[in-house]
């Protein structure tokens, strides 16, 4: 028996939300409840789901973690919890920055805390451009996703719908493969002065673009060329960072230290992290709530402490290997790939992929799409072997079912068939 989604309570809320949310979003056919434990959550209709999407990589510790709930309790006696943090300092700001600097790659020793991944990217771009002084253009990659504020969006090219009609900052695009090194070198050779190149920005693993993993040659080569030519090198680790790939930062696995890192998601706040030589003149960058959301910063701090204390990076690596091994055995899916618990596979086309995600959901497993026809498998860091076995069992049976060309969903669920496709 599969779940009948959305349930009646969820349907009512989703219909009303859809009338008011101008973003015209494409939600999953459920509304979250407060109930859940570990990798499982319940919707408000009482349906139980095994979550292998982790709130798009932003929920590393799963649902209702007792230690995180203790932090929330501490703040239930305090109002406000959002302060104008760049003007009125709170201790949580210092506590999180100190802990973040302990795990930041060598040479990165200061950060600006903001409210989202896009803002983290935006502020990395600004820090880089201010240092370069003569910036005329930046360099980014085909199929990249860096967020939706206009600077970050200029570096994004995963989907036309995200960019159409929007003014942009000048960006030159490189292919996301080893040819990029020659293209970048040519660009440098034909640019009068490399101080005109504001930055090079890359995701070590492209997220929204399709979970494509950069080669060692590409990452090392980019680091070398940007260093030789004094061009700020930004790794966008909004999705890959904070342990998702089995090390704190994916760039560590390439043996490189970028000049700047954008982080967010699992950190619970956004962060533009950089070497102190990037510190701009006072007043250059700020935001009312930047470094001022006391609860989010306290949760971010506790998240880092828990990952360390419970040795969750070891679990990410161990379960990542196990999950890959199990997925290699599944028929009717292809191109299984990943690092740590940032794993994906492909279906034959977009329609099959969307049917697949919905059918998994009806069987109680939450997955997320990316790229043209890929499926992300990104459970919380606390996932167990038994939960992986359960997920793979569902993936296996749904892959077989969806491989039948005649397979098709009908009814109210069809309104949600692009589920997972528009999300970052
Ligand atoms: C690599 C990367 N950069 C930036 C962003 C934007 O983050 P946010 O959605 O928090 O603005 C995302 C979001 O998915 C991302 O994956």
């Amino acid at each position: 028996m599969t779940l009948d989604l959305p349930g009646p309570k969820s349907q009512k809320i989703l219909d009303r939300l859809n009338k008011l949310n101008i973003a015209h979003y494409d939600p999953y056919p459920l509304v979250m409840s407060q109930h859940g434990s570990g990798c499982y959550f319940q919707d408000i209709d009482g349906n139980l789901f095994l979550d292998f999407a982790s709130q798009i990589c932003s929920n590393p510790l799963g649902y209702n973690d007792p230690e995180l709930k203790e932090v929330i309790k501490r703040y239930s006696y305090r109002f406000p919890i959002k302060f104008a943090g760049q003007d009125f300092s709170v201790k949580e700001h210092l506590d999180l920055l100190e802990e973040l600097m302990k795990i930041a790659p060598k040479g990165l020793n200061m950060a600006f805390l903001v409210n989202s991944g896009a803002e983290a990217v935006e502020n990395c771009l600004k820090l880089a451009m201010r240092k370069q002084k003569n910036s005329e253009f930046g360099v980014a990659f085909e199929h990249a996703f860096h967020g939706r504020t206009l600077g970050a969006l200029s570096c994004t090219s995963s989907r036309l719908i995200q960019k159409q009609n929007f003014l942009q900052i000048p960006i030159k695009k490189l292919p996301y493969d080893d040819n990029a090194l020659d293209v970048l070198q040519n660009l440098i050779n034909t640019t009068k002065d490399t101080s005109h190149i504001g930055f090079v920005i890359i995701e070590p693993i492209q997220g929204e673009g399709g979970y494509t993993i950069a080669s060692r040659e590409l990452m090392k080569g980019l680091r070398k060329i940007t260093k030789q030519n004094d061009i700020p090198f930004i790794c966008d680790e909004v999705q890959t960072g904070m342990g998702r790939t089995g090390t704190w930062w994916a760039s560590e696995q390439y043996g490189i230290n970028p000049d700047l890192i954008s982080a967010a998601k699992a950190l619970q706040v956004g962060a533009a992290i950089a070497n102190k030589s990037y510190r701009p003149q006072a007043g250059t960058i700020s935001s009312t709530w930047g470094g001022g959301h006391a609860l989010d910063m306290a949760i971010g701090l506790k998240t880092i402490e828990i990952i360390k204390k419970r040795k969750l990076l070891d679990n990410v690596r161990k379960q990542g290997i196990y999950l890959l091994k199990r997925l290699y055995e599944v028929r009717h899916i292809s191109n299984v790939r990943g690092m740590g618990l940032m794993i994906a596979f492909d279906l034959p086309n977009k329609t099959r992929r969307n049917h697949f995600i919905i059918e998994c959901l009806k069987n109680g497993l939450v997955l997320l799409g990316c790229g043209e026809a890929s499926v992300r498998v990104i459970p919380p860091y606390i996932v167990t072997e038994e939960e992986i076995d359960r997920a793979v069992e569902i993936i296996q049976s749904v892959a077989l079912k969806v491989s039948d060309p005649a397979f098709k969903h009908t009814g109210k669920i069809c309104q949600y068939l692009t589920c997972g496709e528009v999300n970052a």
Side-chain angles (χ1 to χ4, degrees), residues 26-28 56 159 208 353-354 357-358 367-371 374 376 416-424:
D26 181 34
Y28 276 66
I56 326 183
R159 248 189 282 278
E208 155 88 353
R353 188 271 310 275
N354 292 348
I357 287 177
I358 290 291
L367 296 169
L368 194 65
C370 65
S374 303
R376 306 181 223 204
Y416 301 88
L417 269 181
T418 58
C419 205
E421 192 191 320
V422 298
N423 293 314

Side-chain angles (χ1 to χ4, degrees), residues 106-345:
K106 207 167 127 247
L108 303 196
N109 35 34
M110 297 189 94
F112 174 41
L113 300 185
V114 284
N115 306 293
S116 67
E119 280 177 84
V121 170
E122 199 78 19
N123 283 287
C124 282
L125 303 184
K126 288 170 76 177
L127 290 172
M129 288 192 266
R130 178 54 60 87
K131 185 145 191 275
Q132 278 302 66
K133 292 192 177 69
N134 301 319
S135 307
E136 287 178 358
F137 62 90
V139 177
F141 284 81
E142 286 162 11
H143 310 295
F145 185 86
H146 295 292
R148 295 163 188 271
T149 52
L150 287 177
L153 189 66
S154 307
C155 302
T156 289
S157 36
S158 55
R159 248 189 282 278
L160 182 66
I161 188 80
Q162 298 162 350
K163 300 187 66 145
Q164 219 169 9
N165 303 3
F166 299 150
L167 297 174
Q168 297 184 37
I169 62 170
I171 296 292
K172 307 254 193 235
K173 294 282 159 72
L174 305 183
Y176 194 77
D177 57 38
D178 294 356
N179 295 321
L181 298 176
D182 285 340
V183 183
L184 179 61
Q185 194 56 62
N186 284 339
L187 196 60
I188 288 170
N189 296 345
T190 52
T191 303
K192 254 200 316 272
D193 180 340
T194 53
S195 73
H196 293 316
I197 305 179
F199 54 83
V200 173
I201 184 166
I202 189 167
E203 296 158 274
I205 300 177
Q206 288 194 327
E208 155 88 353
Y211 273 37
T212 315
I213 305 174
S215 72
R216 231 179 144 68
E217 290 65 35
L218 175 60
M219 293 300 283
K220 278 192 166 298
L222 288 174
R223 177 61 290 192
K224 192 168 164 207
I225 297 175
T226 50
K227 203 169 235 162
Q228 279 167 348
N229 293 281
D230 279 329
I231 303 168
F233 182 45
I234 307 169
C235 278
D236 181 355
E237 298 238 24
V238 166
Q239 193 156 163
T240 51
M242 282 292 295
R244 172 55 58 187
T245 66
T247 48
W248 284 110
W249 312 100
S251 43
E252 282 174 55
Q253 303 201 32
Y254 293 92
I256 60 156
N257 293 317
D259 300 309
L260 302 106
I261 279 185
S262 46
K265 292 198 188 272
L267 182 60
Q268 309 301 307
V269 296
I273 313 172
N275 178 269
K276 57 176 182 269
S277 64
Y278 282 80
R279 187 176 207 177
Q281 208 184 343
T284 302
I285 55 172
S286 192
S287 158
T288 303
W289 285 334
H293 196 314
L295 177 58
D296 282 357
M297 291 187 296
I299 298 272
L301 172 69
K302 186 52 91 182
T303 299
I304 298 176
E305 287 172 355
I306 291 175
I307 292 172
K308 282 183 178 172
K309 192 172 72 179
R310 298 188 201 157
K311 299 192 184 339
L312 289 179
L313 295 185
D314 291 348
N315 196 53
V316 169
R317 287 192 293 271
K318 181 174 148 214
Q319 303 300 353
I321 291 168
Y322 183 64
L323 179 51
L324 276 176
K325 180 177 135 296
R326 292 296 328 269
L327 287 173
Y328 287 138
E329 295 160 4
V330 176
R331 292 184 58 211
H332 307 293
I333 64 171
S334 60
N335 193 16
V336 175
R337 59 200 181 269
M339 254 161 90
L341 285 174
M342 189 163 175
I343 290 172
F345 57 81

Side-chain angles (χ1 to χ4, degrees), residues 86-97:
Q86 295 296 317
D87 298 273
F88 299 92
S89 303
V90 289
K91 170 93 171 10
E92 288 83 353
H93 192 175
L94 173 67
D95 292 342
L96 179 55
L97 284 180

